Amino acid sequence: VSGATENHQKRLTEMLGVEEEHLPAVRMMTINPDGHQQYNAAHKYKLTGQITSQTIQRMVTAYHTNTLKPYLRSEPVVSAAEQFPGSPWVVVGESFQSDVKESTVDVLIDFFAPWCGHCRKLEPAWKTLARKLAHVKTMRIAKLDATRNEIPGLHIRGFPTIMFYPAQDKEHPIDYQGDRSVDSFVAFLKKHGQPFDETPPPGFKGVSSGLLTDDEEHDEM
């Protein structure tokens, strides 16, 4: 891949996970039988290091001997220190294992697409839910941009997809199929998650974004 000027070329480079600043680049792509439309639709393989005839040959040989590992797209990892308190926890491809599968808390995660109208409609309620349950130490309200991050073995059929990963059984997540309101999310979490009190303890002042006044923050809740 040396450049992309036409729309179909840009779509291909996006699917291959090639950023403009990394051109030229060498990729291999095969159809992923577990993929679906725009999400993880292909297995991608990335040439690392210098582009030479020898490195390309080694890449092709590794592919044919099943020793070449697929390349999965991921945005930069957002560390715990970089997460904003009271906002949805930002998960990316490379942090999914640690932030979701290996975490010791219940995780309710929204797999979204930035261009999805239903996802944009959900966003205010999702932010409110994260603020409302900011005091619950056994719960994590999270989000992942599924157009820029890929998770092996995860099948996203539409946007938004909301899944619940119980702390005691991360290998069997539960698909959320209910109403997309804060009250419905809370009721679902009380049914499937660890016991919690949705009312903040005395002295808990909540979390301010720093962008609104205290009264405006309260009104948004």
Side-chain angles (χ1 to χ4, degrees):
V1 183
S2 58
T5 56
E6 303 295 333
N7 287 335
H8 69 279
Q9 294 173 333
K10 293 178 180 179
R11 176 70 186 91
L12 179 59
T13 57
E14 180 182 345
M15 180 180 293
L16 291 172
V18 178
E19 305 293 343
E20 185 174 354
E21 60 267 24
H22 296 149
L23 296 174
V26 175
R27 297 286 192 274
M28 292 179 61
M29 181 178 72
T30 61
I31 298 300
N32 177 9
D34 295 326
H36 179 71
Q37 297 180 358
Q38 295 191 19
Y39 181 82
N40 210 5
H43 283 310
K44 303 175 291 295
Y45 302 89
K46 178 180 180 180
L47 175 66
T48 57
Q50 292 186 334
I51 301 175
T52 67
S53 59
Q54 290 80 11
T55 57
I56 294 175
Q57 183 176 358
R58 284 197 294 269
M59 179 182 183
V60 174
T61 300
Y63 171 78
H64 285 293
T65 57
N66 295 319
T67 58
L68 188 64
K69 294 182 178 181
Y71 160 70
L72 298 175
R73 296 187 67 187
S74 177
E75 295 178 289
V77 172
V78 181
S79 69
E82 295 172 311
Q83 301 285 350
F84 191 86
S87 292
W89 189 279
V90 179
V91 179
V92 300
E94 291 184 2
S95 68
F96 185 83
Q97 187 68 22
S98 59
D99 285 348
V100 178
K101 298 292 288 293
E102 295 177 356
S103 67
T104 59
V105 300
D106 294 326
V107 180
L108 185 66
I109 183 168
D110 167 29
F111 296 93
F112 71 95
W115 43 259
C116 168
H118 294 295
C119 299
R120 290 195 292 269
K121 185 177 180 180
L122 170 65
E123 188 175 5
W126 204 249
K127 290 180 177 179
T128 298
L129 179 66
R131 287 200 302 271
K132 182 180 181 66
L133 301 182
H135 64 284
V136 180
K137 304 303 182 182
T138 59
M139 181 71 60
R140 175 173 292 166
I141 307 302
K143 64 178 183 178
L144 179 145
D145 182 348
T147 67
R148 300 184 64 83
N149 300 276
E150 296 171 336
I151 312 299
L154 187 60
H155 312 302
I156 301 298
R157 302 300 184 189
F159 299 111
T161 289
I162 300 171
M163 300 178 71
F164 177 66
Y165 287 80
Q168 305 303 323
D169 190 8
K170 293 297 178 72
E171 295 305 316
H172 297 92
I174 302 171
D175 289 325
Y176 179 82
Q177 302 290 346
D179 181 66
R180 296 170 186 168
S181 67
V182 174
D183 288 343
S184 295
F185 289 135
V186 171
F188 173 87
L189 292 170
K190 285 190 173 182
K191 178 180 179 180
H192 296 284
Q194 301 177 75
F196 68 90
D197 187 349
E198 63 181 285
T199 302
F204 185 82
K205 297 181 179 181
V207 180
S208 171
S209 66
L211 302 177
L212 304 176
T213 67
D214 290 342
D215 289 339
E216 289 171 329
E217 293 277 2
H218 179 74
D219 290 341
E220 279 211 346
M221 293 292 288

